Amino acid sequence: MIRPGMPDLPKIDGSKIMKGAIGVIVAIFLVVASFGVFEYLDAQHVMVIQTPLAGTLNWHVVQGVKFQWFGKVTKYKKSFQYWFSASKDQGDKNDQSIPVRFNDAGHGMISGSVRIDLPFDTNQLTALHTKYGSQLAIEHDLVRTNYEKAVYMAGPLLSSRESYAEKRPDLITFIEDQAMNGVYKTVSRDTKGRDAITGVEKTVTVVELVKDSKGGIARQEASPFTLYGIKSSAFSINKVNYDKTVEEQIASQQKAAMQIQT
């Protein structure tokens, strides 16, 4: 009931309210949908988008905004430093060093790092993505496993002392070469000799490299890095933690060498 003298209330235009509500809904939808329509790729990554219906894999290696169309997005680092270190400030906070066993039965834990570069070839990237499916899997299941095998096969080529002193560069070369090109084909033979410190006769298993038909080193198998077009570089060992027995033997050998020099 309108009392005399009261101003007239403004008329409510239902059509304008409806249009405004529809506009807000459409705007919200476009904002939400944009997260499934576009994806930004930075310069440090490659990206694959799997279409939602056909499942087609579309690779992008050049940075910029890409059409996603609600597909599944997976990104990989073009290049990364992989650490296998016992130090908490190098890579993972947990001990990631790799165990090694030398031909004199000495043991140690190798710490270091390597630079890994992924390929840009879409066929190789597809093979990598199909097999591993994530950056973490590539680092743990491919890179680490490959270097664990290379370290395992390199250890028997040296004694603990050789790896500590005069043949330390050889240890680096053996590991890096096998990781990149495949593990060596070797033969083992037992030989007897006297311990340089104790003088006790002992049997040592010597591992020798097998030559191929061209005079080079024969390989048991190709490296998975070759299969997937992965390149590794700047491999380095920053520390080898030997077990207590080996440390004592090395210290004794150094002491004996100093006495001879004196």
Side-chain angles (χ1 to χ4, degrees):
M1 178 178 181
I2 300 178
R3 297 178 182 177
M6 294 183 62
D8 295 336
L9 296 175
K11 293 182 180 180
I12 299 175
D13 190 337
S15 61
K16 289 184 178 180
I17 294 177
M18 181 63 70
K19 290 179 181 179
I22 293 175
V24 171
I25 294 173
V26 170
I28 294 174
F29 174 78
L30 290 176
V31 170
V32 174
S34 65
F35 290 100
V37 175
F38 303 102
E39 181 70 24
Y40 180 75
L41 176 64
D42 60 37
Q44 289 73 43
H45 291 80
V46 296
M47 176 174 67
V48 61
I49 300 176
Q50 182 174 339
T51 57
L53 297 179
T56 305
L57 298 177
N58 297 317
W59 284 96
H60 302 278
V61 298
V62 180
Q63 64 271 21
V65 177
K66 312 299 177 183
F67 287 108
Q68 179 184 350
W69 298 123
F70 302 100
K72 179 183 178 182
V73 176
T74 306
K75 295 181 180 180
Y76 297 95
K77 296 178 182 178
K78 292 180 179 179
S79 180
F80 58 92
Q81 193 80 0
Y82 179 76
W83 291 92
F84 48 95
S85 178
S87 300
K88 294 182 179 180
D89 60 345
Q90 295 178 335
D92 199 288
K93 291 183 179 180
N94 297 318
D95 186 351
Q96 296 293 309
S97 55
I98 299 177
V100 60
R101 184 179 186 276
F102 301 102
N103 60 21
D104 56 359
H107 293 78
M109 299 295 293
I110 294 180
S111 292
S113 67
V114 64
R115 168 64 55 175
I116 300 294
D117 297 318
L118 295 189
F120 286 164
D121 180 79
T122 55
N123 291 328
Q124 292 173 326
L125 286 170
T126 297
L128 264 174
H129 178 68
T130 303
K131 181 76 172 181
Y132 298 99
S134 71
Q135 176 72 30
L136 181 62
I138 287 178
E139 293 183 15
H140 186 272
D141 298 344
L142 176 58
V143 176
R144 182 174 181 84
T145 299
N146 192 39
Y147 272 93
E148 284 178 336
K149 180 182 291 186
V151 170
Y152 178 82
M153 296 299 292
L157 299 174
L158 304 169
S159 67
S160 302
R161 175 175 171 75
E162 288 173 336
S163 71
Y164 179 86
E166 66 268 21
K167 291 189 177 181
R168 182 68 171 268
D170 290 344
L171 178 63
I172 296 175
T173 300
F174 290 151
I175 295 173
E176 187 173 29
D177 181 46
Q178 292 185 93
M180 273 298 299
N181 302 306
V183 296
Y184 300 143
K185 184 177 290 187
T186 60
V187 293
S188 302
R189 61 181 178 84
D190 293 335
T191 181
K192 290 185 177 181
R194 292 189 178 277
D195 189 282
I197 303 301
T198 64
V200 177
E201 187 178 56
K202 63 179 182 179
T203 300
V204 177
T205 300
V206 178
V207 177
E208 298 176 343
L209 301 177
V210 176
K211 300 292 184 179
D212 60 18
S213 58
K214 297 180 180 180
I217 301 175
R219 309 276 174 172
Q220 289 189 22
E221 58 187 28
S223 168
F225 284 4
T226 303
L227 174 64
Y228 296 114
I230 292 175
K231 296 181 180 180
S232 65
S233 59
F235 174 78
S236 65
I237 295 176
N238 54 43
K239 189 174 184 180
V240 180
N241 289 325
Y242 297 93
D243 58 34
K244 184 177 180 181
T245 302
V246 174
E247 290 280 6
E248 291 174 350
Q249 289 178 348
I250 292 175
S252 298
Q253 290 172 351
Q254 289 178 328
K255 184 178 179 180
M258 292 178 63
Q259 289 175 346
I260 292 174
Q261 292 176 359
T262 300

